[in-house]
Amino acid sequence: MLSVSLVVIAIAADFLTQIPLISSRLLFDRKRSTGSLNSFISSEGPIALQGVLNNIGASGAKVTGAAPGLVVASPSKNSPNYFYSWTRDSALTFKALVDAFIAGKSNLQSEIEDYVYAQAQLQAVSNPSGSLATGAGLGEPKFEADGTAFTGAWGRPQRDGPALRATALIAYSRWLLSNGGATIVTDVIWPIVSNDLNYVGQYWNQTGFDLWEEINGSSFFTTAAQHRALVEGNTLARQIGKSCPSCVSQAPQILCFLQGYWNGQYVVANINENSGRSGKDTNTLLSFIHTFDPSAACDSTTFQPCSDKALANHKVTTDSFRGVFEINSGIAQGNAISVGRYSEDTYQGGNPWYMANFAAAEQLYDALYQWNQIGFLTITPVSLVFFRDFSSSIAAGTYASSTPTYSTLTAAIKSYADGYMSIAETYTPSGGSLAEQFSRSNGSPLSATDLTWSYAAFLTAVARRNGQVPASWVESVANSVPSSCDATSASGIYSTPTATVPLPPCSTVTSVAVAFNVAETTMFGENVFVVGSISQLGSWSTDDAVALSAIDYQSEYPRWFGTVDLPAGTNFQYKYVRKASDGSIIWEDGENRGFVVPTGCAAQVGVHDRWQ
C-alpha cells in the first residue's frame, strides 16, 4: 500500500511521528456535520471524483510531471513522500473509475484509455524486482511518477498488483466487447492481461509483501485477488478465442490455499510470517469488497461479504479498535467506530484511516445487496456473534425477506454501515479533502494529503450504498474447494505489450439498451412487468407495460428481467407490477423509482432492483 516497508521504516524513523495537516485541535474537537449523511454524500461525491482525477497524469491538477494514465498516490512529497505510482493503488482506483464509466460517467473514458497505455509501458520497464522476460518485474510495487523505475529500498516484491490490474482491465474489456471494441480487447488489452495472469499462475504460492508493505509472507488480500483474477481471466480468454491454461490449473489451488487463513473465529490477514501480530486487519475487509460478486450467494469459500465468515470477521476486526483509539471512547458495541489498519499499528502514530472506515461500511452494503437479491439471510453459529449486536436474542436460522426479523436486522445493519460513513464525515474537513489518516485522539487529518485511495474508497462505498454494483466475475462457477491443496505453479510466458499509442476515443451512442432486473418471488401463473412514465414503458398504463422474463428464476434468486432500448439522456420514473392469470394487478409499494439513461459511449446499462 502506501506506508513504507519495514526496511524503509528503519531507515526513515523520523516519518513515524504524527504530522497533522492543520494545527487547530479545537477545530476537530467540534465534530463536523452537514445535518445528514445524505447531505454529506451529495456534497462529497463531486469532490472525491475530482480528487481522484487531480492525481492522474498528465492533466491532473495536483500531479504536474506525472505521465499520462499514471495514478499518483498523493501530491505529498515529504513527510511522507507518496509522489509515486503504485500498481495496486492504481488498479483499485481504475477499477472504481471503470465501474463508474460503465454506470454512465462517459467522460472518464479518456483516463481509462490512458491507463491502458500506461500499464503497457510499465510492464516493459526493468526494475529491482526483475524484468518482463521472467515475469518477475511485474511484482514491482511502485514506479516514479514519470513511469521510470523506482530503485530505492522497498518492500518487494508485492504480488497483488498484477492480479488487481488484470481485474481492472478485464472490467473495461467486458464493456468493449459489448460496444464494438473486440479488436482493441484482443490486440491491445489482452497482451497486458495475459502477462499479469501468467505472473499470478507462476508466482502465487511464493511469499511477498502485504498491501501495507510491511510483512513478507502470504497475504489474504493478495491470495483472494489472485483467485478472482484467474477466474475472470479465463472467462475473458474464452470470450475472445484465447486460452489461459494457468487460470484453469491454478485457480482451484489458490482457492484451496485461501481457506487456510480462517482460524475458526476470523481471517488471519497474513500467514507464513512471524510479525507477532494478531492478524486482525482491515486487509480482510478490503479483500471482501474487492471479491464481492453481486450475483453470488453468501458463499464462505470465497468469503463473500454476506457469508458467515466475512461477517464474523467484520465484528472481530472492527472491535479490535474499540479500546485503541481515544476517539472511540464510550461508543457501545453495535455502534460504528473509527477503524485503522490493525490495532498494533505504529505508522505515523497508528491512527484511523478514512479508507478503512469506508471499507467497513462497504462490506455491509454489499451484504445487504446480496441478501436482498437472494431474498433471505442465514445466521449460522459462526456469524451469530455478529448478529447478536443487533438483536441480543436472535437465534441461528434462515430468515426470509418477508419476515419482520429480516426487516429489523437489515434496517439495523444499514444504520450500522451508515455509522462508519458518518464517522468519516465527522472528521472530514469542511472543504471535503481526504487525507490518508485522522488522529486517534482528536480526529484531525494526518499523513499524506489528498490520498487517491481515500477518494476512490469513498466513491465505491457510496456506489454500493446506492445499489450500484459491478459486473459479476462468475464466482458461482469457481467456489468449489479441491479436496486437497497442492503447492503448484505454472510456467509463465511473457511478451511485450503492443499498446504503442493511446487508444482512440469511442463512438457516442444515441440509444442505450437498459436491462431491468428485479428480484420478486411469484406464484404460479403470475408474471412481472415494468411500467413507467415514458411511452417505451407504457406511459403508466399496465396494459402497455413491458413483460419481464423469468427464464433465470431460481428460488434463491427470483430474477425477472427484460431489456428496453431507450434514448440516451432520458429521465424517467418507473415501477414494477405483478399480473395474475385472472387479470388482477398488484403494484409494488413505495415511491416511484427514477433513472436517467446514461449519455456517452455505453450502449448497455443494467438496473438491479428488489420488489418494494
Side-chain angles (χ1 to χ4, degrees):
M1 214 287 276
L2 302 176
S3 67
V4 288
S5 69
L6 290 179
V7 174
V8 178
I9 289 176
I11 297 173
D14 59 308
F15 283 1
L16 296 179
T17 57
Q18 290 190 358
I19 306 171
L21 305 181
I22 62 171
S23 59
S24 174
R25 172 171 179 155
L26 292 177
L27 175 61
F28 281 89
D29 282 342
R30 295 186 197 153
K31 295 185 176 180
R32 177 184 186 272
S33 176
T34 61
S36 75
L37 178 59
N38 288 337
S39 296
F40 169 67
I41 288 173
S42 179
S43 63
E44 183 67 18
I47 296 171
L49 178 57
Q50 192 59 51
V52 170
L53 298 179
N54 285 344
N55 291 349
I56 300 176
S59 58
K62 295 192 175 183
V63 290
T64 301
L70 289 191
V71 178
V72 176
S74 162
S76 176
K77 291 186 176 181
N78 56 75
S79 301
N81 181 3
Y82 283 4
F83 204 81
Y84 300 98
S85 185
W86 271 263
T87 303
R88 169 184 46 256
D89 301 28
S90 300
L92 290 170
T93 297
F94 266 98
K95 178 59 167 62
L97 294 182
V98 168
D99 289 342
F101 165 72
I102 293 172
K105 292 189 179 297
S106 57
N107 61 326
L108 297 175
Q109 189 169 32
S110 61
E111 281 81 8
I112 296 169
E113 291 169 344
D114 284 346
Y115 172 72
V116 173
Y117 171 71
Q119 298 311 300
Q121 309 311 302
L122 284 186
Q123 282 194 341
V125 175
S126 295
N127 55 68
S129 292
S131 68
L132 182 61
T134 63
L138 300 178
E140 180 67 7
K142 72 176 186 178
F143 295 82
E144 300 285 352
D146 63 1
T148 58
F150 169 75
T151 58
W154 209 251
R156 53 169 66 93
Q158 294 177 28
R159 305 194 189 279
D160 54 357
L164 298 171
R165 177 168 54 202
T167 285
L169 294 177
I170 289 168
Y172 185 49
S173 296
R174 282 194 295 258
W175 180 87
L176 286 171
L177 291 175
S178 298
N179 291 275
T183 300
I184 294 175
V185 175
T186 303
D187 296 347
V188 178
I189 298 180
W190 176 252
I192 308 170
V193 172
S194 179
N195 284 336
D196 284 337
L197 297 177
N198 274 284
Y199 178 88
V200 173
Q202 181 171 349
Y203 292 103
W204 71 266
N205 63 357
Q206 297 187 28
T207 56
F209 280 83
D210 68 336
L211 80 166
W212 307 133
E213 307 186 303
E214 296 173 346
I215 291 181
N216 190 0
S218 300
S219 165
F220 179 79
F221 179 85
T222 299
T223 304
Q226 289 171 331
H227 175 251
R228 171 180 175 161
L230 292 191
V231 172
E232 59 186 346
N234 185 55
T235 300
L236 177 63
R238 295 203 321 256
Q239 287 178 311
I240 62 175
K242 303 289 185 178
S243 64
C244 182
S246 62
C247 295
V248 177
S249 65
Q250 302 307 304
Q253 294 306 321
I254 296 176
L255 181 64
C256 198
F257 184 71
L258 189 68
Q259 311 312 305
Y261 291 91
W262 175 253
N263 71 357
Q265 295 179 307
Y266 61 92
V267 176
V268 179
N270 298 286
I271 59 177
N272 298 325
E273 53 84 26
N274 58 359
S275 68
R277 295 181 190 168
S278 66
K280 302 171 186 177
D281 192 315
T282 53
N283 159 330
T284 57
L285 308 188
L286 292 164
S287 304
F288 303 152
I289 63 179
H290 174 68
T291 57
F292 162 59
D293 188 326
S295 297
C298 297
D299 297 320
S300 62
T301 56
T302 59
F303 295 86
Q304 288 300 297
C306 64
S307 68
D308 55 357
K309 292 179 180 177
L311 294 172
N313 180 84
H314 188 284
K315 175 173 172 57
V316 170
T317 300
T318 54
D319 277 358
S320 69
F321 296 98
R322 290 192 180 275
V324 172
F325 301 143
E326 293 176 41
I327 55 177
N328 289 336
S329 177
I331 300 177
Q333 292 282 339
N335 291 280
I337 56 172
S338 297
V339 178
R341 299 190 302 173
Y342 51 91
S343 62
E344 304 94 338
D345 194 7
T346 59
Y347 176 64
Q348 298 281 9
N351 298 287
W353 288 45
Y354 291 97
M355 169 218 310
N357 269 70
F358 295 140
E362 186 172 337
Q363 182 194 334
L364 301 179
Y365 295 140
D366 290 345
L368 289 164
Y369 180 90
Q370 291 178 310
W371 289 324
N372 285 336
Q373 291 297 99
I374 63 179
F376 62 88
L377 65 80
T378 297
I379 302 174
T380 73
V382 170
S383 60
L384 187 60
V385 64
F386 170 83
F387 287 98
R388 284 277 170 88
D389 272 347
F390 311 104
S391 174
S392 59
S393 61
I394 195 69
T398 296
Y399 300 88
S401 59
S402 58
T403 63
T405 300
Y406 178 95
S407 299
T408 299
L409 285 174
T410 53
I413 293 169
K414 169 63 161 52
S415 179
Y416 181 52
D418 282 351
Y420 285 102
M421 300 294 288
S422 294
I423 291 284
E425 174 195 2
T426 297
Y427 301 115
T428 297
S430 58
S433 62
L434 294 176
E436 179 181 66
Q437 309 171 34
F438 52 96
S439 168
R440 62 193 292 156
S441 60
N442 62 41
S444 59
L446 297 172
S447 190
T449 58
D450 292 305
L451 192 78
T452 309
W453 199 348
S454 292
Y455 289 126
F458 171 86
L459 294 173
T460 58
V462 170
R464 304 302 172 265
R465 184 177 188 266
N466 293 339
Q468 179 185 315
V469 297
S472 168
W473 55 273
V474 293
E475 180 272 353
S476 60
V477 303
N479 56 24
S480 296
V481 180
S483 57
S484 62
C485 294
D486 297 320
T488 59
S489 65
S491 297
I493 300 175
Y494 307 94
S495 60
T496 302
T498 54
T500 57
V501 294
L503 301 177
C506 69
S507 300
T508 301
V509 300
T510 58
S511 179
V512 178
V514 180
F516 292 91
N517 298 266
V518 61
E520 169 60 352
T521 302
T522 52
M523 305 292 290
F524 181 77
E526 287 186 321
N527 290 285
V528 177
F529 295 72
V530 60
V531 62
S533 60
I534 54 178
S535 60
Q536 296 90 336
L537 298 180
S539 299
W540 292 121
S541 170
T542 55
D543 291 337
D544 298 318
V546 176
L548 303 182
S549 169
I551 191 172
D552 290 340
Y553 186 103
Q554 301 176 25
S555 58
E556 295 83 5
Y557 178 27
R559 178 190 181 215
W560 291 82
F561 70 94
T563 300
V564 182
D565 290 328
L566 298 176
T570 302
N571 189 337
F572 64 94
Q573 294 184 319
Y574 69 100
K575 298 192 83 166
Y576 297 102
V577 298
R578 291 203 313 266
K579 292 186 181 182
S581 56
D582 62 3
S584 60
I585 296 173
I586 299 176
W587 289 74
E588 66 172 342
D589 294 330
E591 300 293 329
N592 294 339
R593 303 176 187 271
F595 189 74
V596 179
V597 181
T599 58
C601 303
Q604 298 177 326
V605 66
V607 176
H608 298 270
D609 297 316
R610 180 177 176 273
W611 183 275
Q612 300 180 132

